[in-house]
PDB file of all heavy atoms in Angstrom:
ATOM      1  N   GLY A 164      15.701  -0.963  11.359  1.00 90.00           N
ATOM      2  CA  GLY A 164      14.341  -1.463  11.508  1.00 90.00           C
ATOM      3  C   GLY A 164      13.321  -0.722  10.667  1.00 90.00           C
ATOM      4  O   GLY A 164      12.117  -0.867  10.879  1.00 90.00           O
ATOM      5  N   LEU A 165      13.768   0.060   9.704  1.00 93.00           N
ATOM      6  CA  LEU A 165      12.861   0.815   8.841  1.00 93.00           C
ATOM      7  C   LEU A 165      13.405   0.789   7.413  1.00 93.00           C
ATOM      8  O   LEU A 165      14.470   1.338   7.139  1.00 93.00           O
ATOM      9  CB  LEU A 165      12.736   2.259   9.322  1.00 93.00           C
ATOM     10  CG  LEU A 165      11.807   3.167   8.514  1.00 93.00           C
ATOM     11  CD1 LEU A 165      10.352   2.730   8.699  1.00 93.00           C
ATOM     12  CD2 LEU A 165      11.970   4.613   8.958  1.00 93.00           C
ATOM     13  N   ASP A 166      12.697   0.121   6.525  1.00 94.00           N
ATOM     14  CA  ASP A 166      13.089   0.075   5.122  1.00 94.00           C
ATOM     15  C   ASP A 166      12.000   0.701   4.266  1.00 94.00           C
ATOM     16  O   ASP A 166      10.816   0.658   4.606  1.00 94.00           O
ATOM     17  CB  ASP A 166      13.347  -1.359   4.656  1.00 94.00           C
ATOM     18  CG  ASP A 166      14.795  -1.781   4.840  1.00 94.00           C
ATOM     19  OD1 ASP A 166      15.517  -1.133   5.629  1.00 94.00           O
ATOM     20  OD2 ASP A 166      15.202  -2.758   4.197  1.00 94.00           O
ATOM     21  N   ILE A 167      12.429   1.263   3.151  1.00 95.00           N
ATOM     22  CA  ILE A 167      11.535   1.889   2.186  1.00 95.00           C
ATOM     23  C   ILE A 167      11.558   1.035   0.930  1.00 95.00           C
ATOM     24  O   ILE A 167      12.625   0.670   0.441  1.00 95.00           O
ATOM     25  CB  ILE A 167      12.023   3.309   1.834  1.00 95.00           C
ATOM     26  CG1 ILE A 167      12.033   4.205   3.068  1.00 95.00           C
ATOM     27  CG2 ILE A 167      11.174   3.913   0.726  1.00 95.00           C
ATOM     28  CD1 ILE A 167      12.783   5.502   2.868  1.00 95.00           C
ATOM     29  N   GLU A 168      10.378   0.735   0.403  1.00 96.00           N
ATOM     30  CA  GLU A 168      10.266   0.011  -0.862  1.00 96.00           C
ATOM     31  C   GLU A 168       9.798   0.998  -1.922  1.00 96.00           C
ATOM     32  O   GLU A 168       8.798   1.698  -1.728  1.00 96.00           O
ATOM     33  CB  GLU A 168       9.263  -1.132  -0.732  1.00 96.00           C
ATOM     34  CG  GLU A 168       9.083  -1.939  -2.000  1.00 96.00           C
ATOM     35  CD  GLU A 168       8.052  -3.047  -1.859  1.00 96.00           C
ATOM     36  OE1 GLU A 168       7.360  -3.109  -0.825  1.00 96.00           O
ATOM     37  OE2 GLU A 168       7.933  -3.844  -2.808  1.00 96.00           O
ATOM     38  N   LEU A 169      10.539   1.064  -3.030  1.00 97.00           N
ATOM     39  CA  LEU A 169      10.180   1.984  -4.104  1.00 97.00           C
ATOM     40  C   LEU A 169      10.734   1.486  -5.427  1.00 97.00           C
ATOM     41  O   LEU A 169      11.579   0.589  -5.454  1.00 97.00           O
ATOM     42  CB  LEU A 169      10.685   3.401  -3.812  1.00 97.00           C
ATOM     43  CG  LEU A 169      12.166   3.708  -3.972  1.00 97.00           C
ATOM     44  CD1 LEU A 169      12.363   5.214  -4.007  1.00 97.00           C
ATOM     45  CD2 LEU A 169      12.995   3.133  -2.862  1.00 97.00           C
ATOM     46  N   ALA A 170      10.261   2.072  -6.502  1.00 97.00           N
ATOM     47  CA  ALA A 170      10.769   1.719  -7.830  1.00 97.00           C
ATOM     48  C   ALA A 170      12.197   2.241  -7.964  1.00 97.00           C
ATOM     49  O   ALA A 170      12.480   3.380  -7.577  1.00 97.00           O
ATOM     50  CB  ALA A 170       9.883   2.323  -8.906  1.00 97.00           C
ATOM     51  N   PRO A 171      13.111   1.437  -8.515  1.00 97.00           N
ATOM     52  CA  PRO A 171      14.493   1.889  -8.663  1.00 97.00           C
ATOM     53  C   PRO A 171      14.618   3.184  -9.465  1.00 97.00           C
ATOM     54  O   PRO A 171      15.456   4.032  -9.159  1.00 97.00           O
ATOM     55  CB  PRO A 171      15.201   0.743  -9.377  1.00 97.00           C
ATOM     56  CG  PRO A 171      14.280  -0.409  -9.341  1.00 97.00           C
ATOM     57  CD  PRO A 171      12.915   0.083  -9.017  1.00 97.00           C
ATOM     58  N   ALA A 172      13.766   3.368 -10.461  1.00 97.00           N
ATOM     59  CA  ALA A 172      13.825   4.587 -11.271  1.00 97.00           C
ATOM     60  C   ALA A 172      13.531   5.822 -10.427  1.00 97.00           C
ATOM     61  O   ALA A 172      14.086   6.897 -10.687  1.00 97.00           O
ATOM     62  CB  ALA A 172      12.850   4.495 -12.441  1.00 97.00           C
ATOM     63  N   LYS A 173      12.690   5.691  -9.427  1.00 97.00           N
ATOM     64  CA  LYS A 173      12.377   6.820  -8.541  1.00 97.00           C
ATOM     65  C   LYS A 173      13.584   7.161  -7.673  1.00 97.00           C
ATOM     66  O   LYS A 173      13.881   8.331  -7.447  1.00 97.00           O
ATOM     67  CB  LYS A 173      11.158   6.526  -7.667  1.00 97.00           C
ATOM     68  CG  LYS A 173       9.882   6.402  -8.448  1.00 97.00           C
ATOM     69  CD  LYS A 173       9.564   7.689  -9.178  1.00 97.00           C
ATOM     70  CE  LYS A 173       8.253   7.576  -9.926  1.00 97.00           C
ATOM     71  NZ  LYS A 173       7.932   8.794 -10.650  1.00 97.00           N
ATOM     72  N   LEU A 174      14.286   6.149  -7.196  1.00 96.00           N
ATOM     73  CA  LEU A 174      15.496   6.387  -6.414  1.00 96.00           C
ATOM     74  C   LEU A 174      16.511   7.140  -7.271  1.00 96.00           C
ATOM     75  O   LEU A 174      17.077   8.148  -6.849  1.00 96.00           O
ATOM     76  CB  LEU A 174      16.068   5.060  -5.931  1.00 96.00           C
ATOM     77  CG  LEU A 174      17.320   5.149  -5.071  1.00 96.00           C
ATOM     78  CD1 LEU A 174      17.295   4.071  -4.006  1.00 96.00           C
ATOM     79  CD2 LEU A 174      18.564   5.006  -5.896  1.00 96.00           C
ATOM     80  N   VAL A 175      16.712   6.687  -8.487  1.00 97.00           N
ATOM     81  CA  VAL A 175      17.658   7.322  -9.400  1.00 97.00           C
ATOM     82  C   VAL A 175      17.242   8.766  -9.663  1.00 97.00           C
ATOM     83  O   VAL A 175      18.063   9.685  -9.629  1.00 97.00           O
ATOM     84  CB  VAL A 175      17.766   6.520 -10.726  1.00 97.00           C
ATOM     85  CG1 VAL A 175      18.551   7.277 -11.776  1.00 97.00           C
ATOM     86  CG2 VAL A 175      18.394   5.153 -10.463  1.00 97.00           C
ATOM     87  N   SER A 176      15.955   8.982  -9.887  1.00 96.00           N
ATOM     88  CA  SER A 176      15.452  10.312 -10.195  1.00 96.00           C
ATOM     89  C   SER A 176      15.625  11.287  -9.027  1.00 96.00           C
ATOM     90  O   SER A 176      16.179  12.375  -9.202  1.00 96.00           O
ATOM     91  CB  SER A 176      13.963  10.214 -10.566  1.00 96.00           C
ATOM     92  OG  SER A 176      13.402  11.487 -10.711  1.00 96.00           O
ATOM     93  N   VAL A 177      15.170  10.904  -7.855  1.00 96.00           N
ATOM     94  CA  VAL A 177      15.229  11.798  -6.698  1.00 96.00           C
ATOM     95  C   VAL A 177      16.669  12.142  -6.331  1.00 96.00           C
ATOM     96  O   VAL A 177      16.970  13.274  -5.962  1.00 96.00           O
ATOM     97  CB  VAL A 177      14.481  11.188  -5.486  1.00 96.00           C
ATOM     98  CG1 VAL A 177      14.716  11.998  -4.224  1.00 96.00           C
ATOM     99  CG2 VAL A 177      12.987  11.090  -5.778  1.00 96.00           C
ATOM    100  N   LEU A 178      17.569  11.166  -6.441  1.00 96.00           N
ATOM    101  CA  LEU A 178      18.963  11.374  -6.048  1.00 96.00           C
ATOM    102  C   LEU A 178      19.870  11.824  -7.201  1.00 96.00           C
ATOM    103  O   LEU A 178      21.049  12.083  -6.978  1.00 96.00           O
ATOM    104  CB  LEU A 178      19.534  10.090  -5.442  1.00 96.00           C
ATOM    105  CG  LEU A 178      18.863   9.616  -4.162  1.00 96.00           C
ATOM    106  CD1 LEU A 178      19.430   8.269  -3.739  1.00 96.00           C
ATOM    107  CD2 LEU A 178      19.019  10.650  -3.060  1.00 96.00           C
ATOM    108  N   ALA A 179      19.327  11.899  -8.402  1.00 96.00           N
ATOM    109  CA  ALA A 179      20.150  12.184  -9.580  1.00 96.00           C
ATOM    110  C   ALA A 179      21.347  11.226  -9.588  1.00 96.00           C
ATOM    111  O   ALA A 179      22.481  11.610  -9.811  1.00 96.00           O
ATOM    112  CB  ALA A 179      20.608  13.644  -9.605  1.00 96.00           C
TER     113      ALA A 179
END
Side-chain angles (χ1 to χ4, degrees):
L165 180 69
D166 269 19
I167 298 167
E168 180 182 8
L169 75 165
K173 294 299 182 181
L174 181 144
V175 170
S176 173
V177 171
L178 297 175

